[in-house]
Amino acid sequence: MMRKLFSLVVVSALVPVAAMADTFPSKPVTIVVSVPAGGTIDAIARMVAKDLGESMGKQFVVENRPGANGNIAADYVRRAPADGYTLLMLASSTLALGPYVMQNVPFDPIKDFAPVAMTAGLNMALLVNPKVGVSDVKGLVEKMKANPGKLNYSSTGNGSFPHVAGALLNLETHTDATHVPYKGLAPSIQDLLAGQVDFTFDSGSAVHVKSGKLKALAVIGPKRASALPDVPTFREAGLPELEKVSGWHGVFAPAGTPADVIKRLNAEINKSLKKPDSVERIQAMGFESVATTPEELGNALRTEYKNFGDLIAKTKISAY
C-alpha cells in the first residue's frame, strides 16, 4: 500500500513539470542582460527577444542588470525559479574568467546555471597603431624584445579578456609590454587611435582597420574573422596558445530548468540567429554568428573555465 502511495506522489509531482514543458511559455519571459542598454550583448538580446516573442507567442522582455562584471545579473538569475521564465544573457568572461580574478563571486559558474544557447562567438584581433611601424605579429614581437617594457597595450579593465590576451602574448613571446587598463572599450580604442598606447585586443574595430587608422596583425581564432578575412589567426602566426583567450555570448537558465523547456528555447534562439539579417548584424558588430546545442555550450564553458584557471595561475592577473 505504501509503495503504491509513494508511486502516486512521485507521478503527481512530475505531472506539473511535464505540463509546463508542453505549454511553455504561458506568460512573458524575462531575459536578464549583464550589461547596460546599448552594448553588443544587449543588442543581440533585443534582436533575439523580438524573434522569440513572434515565434513563441509570448512577450520576451529584456531587463538590464549591469555591474560587477556581470555578477549582479548572474546572481539574480541563479536565485530565480528554475522554470524557464527568467533567462540570463552574458559574455563568457563573467562565468569563465570572473571567478578567478574577482573576489567573493556569488555563484558556481558550472553548477548554478543550465546552458541554453550560444548567441555569438568572440574573435578578438590584435590591433596596433600604424605609428608602431610593424606589419605582422613577428615584427611586433621583435620590436617588443628590442625595447623591453617600452611598448604598452590597453584593455577594457583589469582582469578583462584584452588584459589576459596581452599578458598571454607577453608570456608566450617572452616579452614585457606594459598593461594600461581603461574603464571600458571606448577610451581604450580612443587612446589607441591617438597613439597614446601601442596595441590592444578587440573584436569590434574592423571599421578602423578598413579605414587604415589601425592595423590588425592577427585574430585569436581558431578561424579567421568574418569581418577581417585577410588577417591571419595566431595559429597561422605561430602562436596557437592565444586561442585560449577566445570567448562568446550565451543564454543560460537557472540550474534545474526542465530539459524540454531548454530544448525548445535552444531551437527558437538558433532559428533567430540563423536568419540572414541576424547573421549580418552579428558580424557587423565584430562577432561570429553561431548556433549550438545546450550541450555544446556547456562543453565550451567547462573548457574555457579550465583554460582561464591555468592562464590566471601563470599570469597572476587580478581585477584589482
Side-chain angles (χ1 to χ4, degrees):
M1 181 66 181
M2 289 299 293
R3 183 178 296 175
K4 289 183 179 179
L5 181 60
F6 177 75
S7 297
L8 287 173
V9 171
V10 171
V11 170
S12 63
L14 291 176
V15 167
V17 176
M20 182 185 70
D22 290 341
T23 61
F24 180 85
S26 60
K27 61 181 181 180
V29 177
T30 299
I31 302 177
V32 178
V33 176
S34 62
V35 297
T40 54
I41 300 175
D42 177 75
I44 297 173
R46 293 179 187 279
M47 177 188 77
V48 169
K50 179 178 181 295
D51 289 344
L52 264 57
E54 293 174 355
S55 65
M56 300 183 77
K58 293 294 178 181
Q59 188 178 15
F60 280 69
V61 181
V62 172
E63 180 179 319
N64 301 89
R65 286 182 174 264
N69 190 40
N71 288 353
I72 291 174
D75 189 46
Y76 178 82
V77 173
R78 174 185 69 85
R79 293 181 285 105
D83 55 11
Y85 288 94
T86 306
L87 305 175
L88 171 67
M89 187 164 172
L90 77 178
S92 61
S93 58
T94 297
L95 301 181
L97 177 58
Y100 294 112
V101 298
M102 301 189 72
Q103 299 173 353
N104 303 317
V105 173
F107 52 78
D108 185 303
I110 307 299
K111 296 179 180 179
D112 287 342
F113 303 99
V116 177
M118 191 180 292
T119 54
L122 178 67
N123 195 356
M124 293 190 298
L126 168 57
L127 305 171
V128 300
N129 186 291
K131 294 179 182 178
V132 177
V134 298
S135 58
D136 54 23
V137 174
K138 181 181 178 182
L140 178 63
V141 171
E142 289 175 350
K143 189 151 191 172
M144 288 193 290
K145 287 184 175 181
N147 300 274
K150 293 185 178 179
L151 272 71
N152 53 34
Y153 69 97
S154 64
S155 80
T156 53
N158 286 320
S160 64
F161 266 35
H163 182 190
V164 176
L168 183 57
L169 180 63
N170 274 340
L171 186 67
E172 289 296 307
T173 60
H174 306 288
T175 53
D176 61 348
T178 302
H179 173 230
V180 182
Y182 287 80
K183 293 183 178 180
L185 178 62
S188 169
I189 295 298
Q190 182 178 350
D191 271 12
L192 178 63
L193 289 166
Q196 299 300 312
V197 291
D198 299 305
F199 66 93
T200 195
F201 289 81
D202 178 47
S203 63
S205 298
V207 62
H208 297 310
V209 175
K210 293 175 181 178
S211 70
K213 294 179 179 179
L214 297 176
K215 186 168 183 60
L217 303 186
V219 295
I220 295 293
K223 297 179 180 179
R224 292 193 178 196
S226 300
L228 299 168
D230 296 328
V231 178
T233 65
F234 271 100
R235 181 172 291 274
E236 292 175 284
L239 293 170
E241 283 295 300
L242 267 292
E243 287 180 9
K244 290 183 177 179
V245 196
S246 59
W248 34 263
H249 296 169
V251 177
F252 290 79
T257 300
D260 286 353
V261 171
I262 289 176
K263 183 177 180 181
R264 184 167 184 216
L265 284 167
N266 175 267
E268 295 296 338
I269 291 172
N270 285 345
K271 187 189 301 181
S272 170
L273 296 173
K274 290 177 180 177
K275 292 169 56 178
D277 60 329
S278 298
V279 173
E280 185 176 345
R281 288 179 64 183
I282 290 171
Q283 290 181 348
M285 297 178 198
F287 296 92
E288 301 299 324
S289 179
V290 293
T292 67
T293 65
E295 294 75 19
E296 288 170 335
L297 175 56
N299 289 337
L301 173 58
R302 285 187 290 274
T303 298
E304 194 168 310
Y305 185 64
K306 181 183 183 304
N307 285 344
F308 278 121
D310 296 339
L311 291 178
I312 299 308
K314 293 178 182 177
T315 60
K316 311 299 183 184
I317 281 176
S318 169
Y320 305 99

